Amino acid sequence: MVKIITTIAELKNVLEDHRSEGKKIGLVPTMGALHEGHASLVRRSVAENEITVVSDFVNPTQFNDKNDLQNYPRTMEADCTLLSREGADYVFAPSVEEMYPEPDTRVFDFTPLDKVMEGPNRPGHFNGVAQIVSKLFYAVEPDRAYFGEKDFQQLAIIRMMTEQLNLNIEIIGCPIVREEDGMALSSRNMLLSKEERKTAVNISQTLFKSRIFASSNSLIDTKQFVINSINEIDGLEVEYYEIVDGNTLQPIEKWEDSEYIVGCITVHCGRVRLIDNIKYK
Ligand code: PAF
């Protein structure tokens, strides 16, 4: 059974004991509402470390929309069942007061990574992510931390933050886990109605088709193909689609401009905001 811990003091205490026995610690930061995507991160951490801590905390500072924060799914009991099944040792589920006894006034700068895509579209979001992830890193002091590649920009920013703060933590990105029909797993999928779920699959399907389209078309035309194909579908609206260099996250204009190219998308399906990405090369 996974053990629930709610305070930083207790967490530090138990982890210090493990560390003194030379055990490696893996951290999987989450906001709960766990699904098979999270399970894959936990499995990887359990395989690579003696101790796995999963944080389960809906972080208010990364939400720039109050309704979004209020509606975010919370499924603690089911989360613990999944974590016990996957062999996690501890779930760290603190209160907001525990993580933010004082308002966090730290301002991070991740130029140029945070100046594109989610950055301008969700002001303050990555600053909030950096605040909570750095607090979790200080509380757990993990050897390794695991993040999904679905949040492609977040992963790049966390890598930069870890370097900026000189933290000796290996950041491990894990592949997107998809439903059988291709839909990327996300806690937000729980918020979709049956009808919306059927419509939403067109996001990943279009991204897959765009890889074929890309083999005989320009980058600019491929970008337009994705945006037009999705916007044509009733119930979907593209917020942005950018084809970027996978390291700098800066938009590029030609396939020859980089050796590592990723397309990142955000789409509104009803009131649910969904993100996905696809690697072109
Ligand atoms: O990806 C998430 O679920 C969150 O942004 C994270 C990394 C757990 C920070 O709250």
Side-chain angles (χ1 to χ4, degrees):
M1 270 294 272
V2 69
K3 185 171 186 308
I4 303 175
I5 294 184
T6 57
T7 67
I8 296 175
E10 190 190 351
L11 183 68
K12 280 191 171 294
N13 247 328
V14 295
L15 293 180
E16 208 32 66
D17 287 348
H18 291 304
R19 211 170 281 116
S20 66
E21 292 166 0
K23 294 184 174 162
K24 296 283 181 209
I25 297 170
L27 170 67
V28 182
T30 82
M31 296 207 295
L34 304 182
H35 50 66
E36 281 307 307
H38 297 110
S40 76
L41 305 182
V42 175
R43 275 197 289 278
R44 176 115 186 239
S45 173
V46 169
E48 295 179 350
N49 305 278
E50 280 89 12
I51 297 294
T52 290
V53 180
V54 179
S55 61
D56 191 322
F57 177 69
V58 181
N59 171 40
T61 71
Q62 70 187 75
F63 285 82
N64 58 331
D65 173 348
K66 274 209 173 104
N67 283 333
D68 194 19
L69 172 60
Q70 243 162 28
N71 293 332
Y72 200 83
R74 288 162 171 87
T75 60
M76 188 61 185
E77 236 182 273
D79 292 352
C80 287
T81 307
L82 180 147
L83 294 175
S84 297
R85 184 192 81 201
E86 297 301 342
D89 300 283
Y90 301 102
V91 55
F92 178 50
S95 64
V96 172
E97 294 70 33
E98 180 71 10
M99 293 318 286
Y100 296 101
E102 302 267 339
D104 192 339
T105 53
R106 289 175 300 161
V107 178
F108 293 83
D109 185 350
F110 301 116
T111 306
L113 301 181
D114 58 352
K115 301 293 175 282
V116 290
M117 303 191 286
E118 295 292 285
N121 282 284
R122 295 183 77 188
H125 169 66
F126 286 127
N127 205 60
V129 169
Q131 288 177 344
I132 191 61
V133 174
S134 59
K135 279 173 180 271
L136 291 169
F137 283 179
Y138 294 136
V140 177
E141 297 179 59
D143 297 280
R144 304 185 181 94
Y146 298 80
F147 296 88
E149 285 177 351
K150 187 174 82 66
D151 295 299
F152 191 76
Q153 191 173 8
Q154 169 173 281
L155 177 59
I157 282 174
I158 287 169
R159 285 190 202 285
M160 186 185 250
M161 181 196 79
T162 308
E163 275 186 27
Q164 282 183 358
L165 299 177
N166 291 323
L167 297 174
N168 189 18
I169 300 171
E170 191 183 343
I171 304 299
I172 298 174
C174 303
I176 299 179
V177 179
R178 297 184 180 278
E179 305 264 15
E180 252 175 45
D181 63 3
M183 176 94 174
L185 291 188
S186 162
S187 304
R188 289 175 192 273
N189 295 355
M190 290 181 199
L191 302 173
L192 297 169
S193 69
K194 264 196 170 159
E195 231 14 72
E196 286 170 338
R197 171 63 184 80
K198 271 193 206 154
T199 309
V201 73
N202 286 291
I203 302 167
S204 56
Q205 295 296 344
T206 305
L207 293 181
F208 301 150
K209 280 185 205 150
S210 80
R211 243 195 327 220
I212 300 165
F213 186 92
S215 58
S216 51
N217 287 279
S218 70
L219 186 151
I220 301 294
D221 287 349
T222 304
K223 179 174 166 177
Q224 217 46 54
F225 166 80
V226 170
I227 295 172
N228 294 345
S229 308
I230 295 181
N231 279 341
E232 264 168 22
I233 296 162
D234 254 6
L236 295 183
E237 194 187 336
V238 176
E239 185 175 303
Y240 65 79
Y241 183 56
E242 294 291 354
I243 300 182
V244 301
D245 175 280
N247 292 313
T248 66
L249 305 190
Q250 302 310 293
I252 51 176
E253 293 190 345
K254 294 198 266 5
W255 297 120
E256 305 79 56
D257 287 350
S258 170
E259 285 309 308
Y260 179 24
I261 300 182
V262 180
C264 298
I265 195 157
T266 289
V267 179
H268 292 262
C269 180
R271 60 187 180 88
V272 186
R273 191 173 181 275
L274 298 168
I275 71 174
D276 200 348
N277 63 74
I278 194 149
K279 192 171 167 207
Y280 290 104
K281 64 174 178 170

